[in-house]
Amino acid sequence: GMVICASVPNTINMMIVLTASAKGDEAAAVFNAAFGNMIGIFLTPVLILGYLGVDGSVNIGTVFLKLSLRVVLPILIGQLLQKFSKRAVALKKKYKKRFKQFQEYCLTYIVYTVFCKTFKKGSDSSAADAFLMIALQGLLLLSFKAISWTCLKIFFPNKPKLRVAGLFGSTHKSVAMGIPLINAIYESNPNIGLYTLPLLVWHPMQLVIGSFLAPRLAAFVDAEEKRIGDK
C-alpha cells in the first residue's frame, strides 16, 4: 500500500490552493498538477507493477482499458465540454459547489465499497500494523518535505515562490486520481482496502501539515523577495 501511495500523482485543487495561500508560484503549481496527473494515468500503473511485480490476477491490457474508460475518457469529455460548450461552462459555474460535493460523495462511496470488500473477505493485518503504518507515513511525509525544501533551496536560491510551489508539488498525493487507479489494477484483490489505506492517511495528513506551513511560507516569501529586491 505504501509503494502504491508513493507511485500515484499529486493533487490538483489542494496543491494549488495551498500554493496560493503560501504566496507561491501558482502558474508552476497548475502546470505541475495538470502535467503530473496526465502522465500519472500511464506512469503510475507502470511504476506499481514494476515495483510489486505482475501476478496472475492482473491483466495489463485490462488495466489500461479500465483506466482509459474511468480516467482518460471523463477528462477528455470534460475538456471538450469546457472548450466547445458555453452552456456546460455556465452550468458548472452556477452549481460549482454542488458539483464539488457530488464529487466528494462519489469518492467517499468508492472508498466505502473498497473497504467493504476487504472486511468481507478478511485480512491478516492487525490494528497495530495500521498504527505503525500511520506513524511511518507521518515520518516519511515530514522527511520528504525536509529533503525537498533543501534541494529546492540549492537549485532555486533566489526564487522563493517557485520553492514553495515545488514543496507542495513534490510531496502531495491525489486520492481522486489514486483510488480509481488502484481500483482498476487490484479490483478483484481482497486486500484492496489495505492497498488504499496509506493513500487515505497521506491525503489528510498533507492537508494538515500544509495548512500549518502555509502562513509561515507566505511570510518567508515576503522576507525573501524583500531581501532579493534590496540587493
Side-chain angles (χ1 to χ4, degrees), residues 157-159 223-231:
N158 294 319
K159 296 182 178 179
E224 281 294 292
E225 289 191 327
K226 185 177 183 303
R227 178 186 65 81
I228 295 168
D230 292 339
K231 283 186 176 181

Side-chain angles (χ1 to χ4, degrees), residues 162-228:
L162 196 59
R163 286 164 62 182
V164 169
L167 178 66
F168 292 123
S170 61
T171 55
H172 278 209
K173 297 296 176 182
S174 171
V175 167
M177 183 71 75
I179 297 298
L181 287 170
I182 296 171
N183 233 351
I185 299 172
Y186 296 106
E187 190 171 28
S188 60
N189 194 307
N191 292 319
I192 187 172
L194 299 177
Y195 295 164
T196 60
L197 185 58
L199 182 59
L200 295 175
V201 171
W202 190 282
H203 188 77
M205 198 177 289
Q206 69 191 7
L207 176 60
V208 171
I209 295 174
S211 300
F212 173 79
L213 291 176
R216 292 157 179 81
L217 290 171
F220 163 79
V221 170
D222 290 337
E224 281 294 292
E225 289 191 327
K226 185 177 183 303
R227 178 186 65 81
I228 295 168

Side-chain angles (χ1 to χ4, degrees), residues 4-67:
I4 295 172
C5 177
S7 302
V8 301
N10 50 20
T11 57
I12 296 179
N13 292 337
M14 186 190 298
M15 189 179 77
I16 294 172
V17 169
L18 287 175
T19 299
S21 64
K23 298 185 178 180
D25 191 330
E26 293 183 56
V30 171
F31 175 80
N32 188 3
F35 184 73
N37 275 265
M38 288 304 299
I39 293 295
I41 295 171
F42 306 100
L43 185 59
T44 296
V46 174
L47 289 173
I48 293 173
L49 298 177
Y51 286 133
L52 301 179
V54 182
D55 57 35
S57 64
V58 178
N59 186 303
I60 297 178
T62 303
V63 167
F64 280 101
L65 177 61
K66 289 178 181 178
L67 290 177

Side-chain angles (χ1 to χ4, degrees), residues 65-119:
L65 177 61
K66 289 178 181 178
L67 290 177
S68 298
L69 293 175
R70 298 177 184 179
V71 181
V72 179
L73 184 60
I75 291 175
L76 182 61
I77 293 174
Q79 291 300 314
L80 290 173
L81 287 174
Q82 186 170 336
K83 183 75 174 178
F84 298 108
S85 177
K86 292 183 179 179
R87 291 184 63 185
V89 173
L91 185 68
K92 177 200 168 187
K93 289 181 178 179
K94 184 178 180 180
Y95 298 103
K96 186 176 181 179
K97 289 185 178 179
R98 293 188 181 182
F99 281 128
K100 180 66 176 176
Q101 288 178 337
F102 181 70
Q103 175 189 343
E104 292 172 352
Y105 292 151
C106 288
L107 185 59
T108 302
Y109 177 73
I110 292 172
V111 173
Y112 171 75
T113 57
V114 163
F115 277 94
C116 283
K117 186 185 298 183
T118 299
F119 290 135

